[in-house]
Amino acid sequence: MEIHPIAHIRTDFREKFGIPRQSGLVEALEAVVIFEPPYRVPDAVRGLEEFSHLWLIWEFSRARRENWSPTVRPPRLGGNRRMGVFATRSPFRPNALGLSAVKLASVEPEGPQGPVLHVAGADLLDGTPIYDIKPYLPYADALPDASGGFAGQVERRLLRVDCPPPLMELIRPEKREALLAVLAQDPRPSYQSDPERVYGLGFAGMEIRFTVNGDVLTVTAVEAAK
């Protein structure tokens, strides 16, 4: 069976570093799903506006490999323990497919690229190919008693973000909430903890540099991305 992208997503992430580890963690992140020409058919999204959330089925397009490994090192475990690939959401899989639940903000039925879907909370790289879209069904898809395995056993903590006012002024007002929430998620690999190291995060045409000391992330520079 051959499958082809039906759409691509436009997000504020040009690089993998900094993308939330799961969808929905930063709802302030805005993205747009733009259909490929054969699928720009308003009838294809008829009724979609009645749903609050969607499932996106997509490709880890930067993780294509000819071979696969039965085990991977999940970053959530510090990168030093191997788990079965099917017990993780690693991008390095036999078929590099991802699954994300996103909030449907609006459906733009007409326009030069219409129909267009505006979504929130996506954890996808800019330009990621989308292979299918399905409505999220709360009565079937929400399982409050489900076990999270090893992923549910690792403590998830948010950092306190310190961004000096002069640097905050360099961030476009409409992007501040999303950026600060992304930084609070701690973009670093879990095995890196050097307080002197300066990290760089590309976001919405900006290059954000920061350090992390304990539970405090400090923004040290905001520059236009090159």
Side-chain angles (χ1 to χ4, degrees), residues 23 44 81-82 84 105 111 133:
S23 60
R81 287 180 56 191
R82 284 196 170 273
I133 298 169

Side-chain angles (χ1 to χ4, degrees), residues 30-103:
E30 300 176 344
V32 180
V33 176
I34 301 175
F35 288 92
E36 291 296 292
Y39 307 101
R40 293 178 183 175
V41 182
D43 282 348
V45 297
R46 183 191 303 169
L48 197 63
E49 72 281 354
E50 299 178 14
F51 296 90
S52 65
H53 291 75
L54 307 174
W55 287 111
L56 303 180
I57 300 173
W58 47 277
E59 180 189 6
F60 289 100
S61 52
R62 299 263 187 103
R64 294 171 181 165
R65 292 183 175 183
E66 293 186 3
N67 301 314
W68 70 284
S69 171
T71 61
V72 295
R73 300 177 185 269
R76 195 171 180 84
L77 296 179
N80 53 16
R81 287 180 56 191
R82 284 196 170 273
M83 303 295 290
V85 64
F86 299 126
T88 76
R89 295 191 175 187
S90 167
F92 305 111
R93 332 182 58 78
N95 295 305
L97 295 178
L99 178 68
S100 296
V102 298
K103 182 177 180 179

Side-chain angles (χ1 to χ4, degrees), residues 137-208:
L137 303 178
Y139 78 90
D141 296 338
L143 304 171
D145 297 327
S147 169
F150 69 86
Q153 299 169 10
V154 179
E155 181 182 3
R156 176 172 166 260
R157 63 186 179 90
L158 297 179
L159 299 178
R160 179 168 65 84
V161 179
D162 179 13
C163 184
L167 295 181
M168 185 71 78
E169 291 297 321
L170 300 176
I171 303 170
R172 302 204 305 272
E174 71 274 15
K175 298 296 182 181
R176 291 174 187 171
E177 180 183 357
L179 174 59
L180 295 178
V182 166
L183 293 174
Q185 294 285 331
D186 194 351
R188 303 172 302 163
S190 57
Y191 50 83
Q192 292 183 357
S193 58
D194 181 0
E196 302 298 324
R197 179 165 181 168
V198 178
Y199 299 87
L201 167 66
F203 181 81
M206 300 173 288
E207 184 73 19
I208 312 299

